[in-house]
Amino acid sequence: MRRLALGLAALLGLATPAAAQDYRAVGPFPQISGELDVGLLTLAQPRARDRTVRGSSSFLFGELAAGLHLSPTLSLQGVLAFDPAGEQLPNGTDIFLRRQAAFLESLFLDWRAHERLRLQAGKFNAPFGYGHHSFPGAFARFRAHEAYLIRESLGVGATYTWLSNARFGEHDISAALFTLDTSPFSNTLFTRRRCCEEGFERYSRNSLRQGGAGNNGRLTNFAIALDGDRMPFLPNFSYHAAMVSRGAGKDGAAREWGYALGARFRVEWTPQVRTLFFGEFVEFRNAGGRPIEVIDEDGTELAVRERRRFGTLGAQTTHGDWRATLVWQVEERRREANRVPTRRYLEATVGREIGWGFGVDLGYQYAVNPGEERTGSAHGFVSRLGFTQRF
């Protein structure tokens, strides 16, 4: 399954270009391989000032990735994502798997046309950002996933290794041309909205009328990413730089532009102790495509200009099966109307692998302005019970 994961990493724009290019499926064909990587995430904030986040919530977050290899160079890749279909706000209670859903996040043909060139066509995640797929800890990856993953992109993409040598390392360029998937493959599983119940972000297939950046039914949205690692002059260092541009949907008035810059650096203190330093900064201008919103009680509408930023800095130290992670994340949304306060999160966890594919991370979270109704801070307990199984 490591081979499948590395193949998917190339499409996702992760900083593993060299490993992805080394992949070669071996016969007999056809063959199937896959990996289940899912976690039960829990956040408890019993004394939060904002009632909307007071209490506890638990939900599944992860994916089932599988590949049907038809030949050494051609395969069909798919990802079934497990994710809540709406906001997880306990409102003073304890909730468990509320609005839990699953949907087909990726389904694409992957063709290795040349040793340095891979082509993809179908439904995939655009190559923009890396943290939403690899941040360690309990909630860091989930927050990045919700903030800037360009998911369910329907179109074509390619990854080309433009430099590969012992002196300068491995460097890839990835590009994609896409629109939001509104086909029957965008339908959610398990969860349907009940009558008069609010809080659902999605509960059926995507449609053009729901609007949003990139949801225009045309291949006028694109993403470009650069990834590199294995540089002798920067050992154990990898980088990711990307740009995305998405046209306005039916509710928008301008094109959205996004930029991402991330890096990872591993320090090996001893053969058993090592620390991974990681960070990523993402910015969207005209976030959401400048959606037209009602801005006052008189019903006045305005195409709201927004600059959205999301930053992450963190470090994880591992010793054998044990790990300790510290992550700082900031979400800033500068809007000219219907303003939203800046949110900040500090998370500290300790975890380890406990056998049979299970791992656990437990820790503390300090959050500023995490709620929907009141500003202020909140102290909380976070945990992630993960399970990974390859086949």
Side-chain angles (χ1 to χ4, degrees), residues 55-203:
S56 68
S57 62
S58 299
F59 58 90
L60 292 176
F61 174 67
E63 64 184 29
L64 171 64
L68 173 61
H69 301 276
L70 305 174
S71 75
T73 59
L74 182 65
S75 64
L76 178 65
Q77 308 281 358
V79 175
L80 181 66
F82 303 96
D83 199 7
E87 296 178 342
Q88 296 294 296
L89 299 177
N91 287 300
T93 64
D94 300 308
I95 60 177
F96 183 76
L97 302 184
R98 179 183 292 179
R99 305 187 182 101
Q100 187 66 52
F103 62 95
L104 191 65
E105 188 173 84
S106 300
L107 184 65
F108 61 92
L109 278 173
D110 183 280
W111 177 39
R112 189 186 182 103
H114 183 268
E115 182 177 311
R116 293 193 174 196
L117 177 65
R118 307 179 71 95
L119 303 175
Q120 301 93 17
K123 178 178 179 176
F124 49 81
N125 294 334
F128 183 79
Y130 82 89
H132 49 65
H133 196 262
S134 62
F135 280 157
F139 275 79
R141 180 165 59 127
F142 174 75
R143 293 192 195 98
H145 183 278
E146 295 298 292
Y148 57 89
L149 173 63
I150 310 298
R151 67 198 314 181
E152 295 192 273
S153 303
L154 186 65
V156 294
T159 300
Y160 176 67
T161 303
W162 60 274
L163 179 61
S164 176
N165 61 45
R167 183 177 180 182
F168 296 104
E170 302 278 347
H171 303 268
D172 285 1
I173 181 170
S174 301
L177 194 64
F178 60 91
T179 187
L180 181 71
D181 179 28
T182 57
S183 74
F185 289 110
S186 67
N187 215 331
T188 56
L189 305 177
F190 308 137
T191 299
R192 290 293 181 270
R193 185 175 67 171
R194 298 175 181 176
C195 175
C196 308
E197 184 176 354
E198 300 297 331
F200 280 85
E201 296 174 358
R202 59 177 297 167
Y203 53 89

Side-chain angles (χ1 to χ4, degrees), residues 2 9 33 57 67 86 94 116 122 159 168 213 218 255-256 262 269 293-294 316 328 342 358 366 389:
R2 179 176 179 273
S33 60
S57 62
D94 300 308
R116 293 193 174 196
T159 300
F168 296 104
R218 299 185 298 272
R255 174 169 286 271
E256 175 192 78
W269 309 104
E293 301 178 5
V294 177
Q316 181 182 70
W328 171 254
T342 298
F358 288 94
Y366 173 73
Q389 182 64 53

Side-chain angles (χ1 to χ4, degrees), residues 262-338:
R264 290 179 287 185
F265 178 56
R266 188 179 73 250
V267 178
E268 298 183 354
W269 309 104
T270 71
Q272 294 79 31
V273 181
R274 60 187 61 183
T275 299
L276 175 67
F277 297 95
F278 56 91
E280 188 164 50
F281 174 78
V282 174
E283 177 177 291
F284 291 99
R285 299 184 180 183
N286 289 329
R290 290 190 67 184
I292 300 172
E293 301 178 5
V294 177
I295 62 172
D296 57 33
E297 296 180 355
D298 296 332
T300 303
E301 293 185 340
L302 176 70
V304 179
R305 182 183 291 107
E306 176 182 344
R307 178 175 294 187
R308 185 178 305 172
R309 294 171 175 169
F310 192 94
T312 302
L313 287 175
Q316 181 182 70
T317 297
T318 57
H319 184 280
D321 290 335
W322 288 92
R323 55 183 175 263
T325 308
L326 182 66
V327 184
W328 171 254
Q329 292 182 304
V330 179
E331 182 181 14
E332 180 185 58
R333 301 179 62 183
R334 295 186 177 181
R335 316 181 87 238
E336 60 180 335
N338 296 334

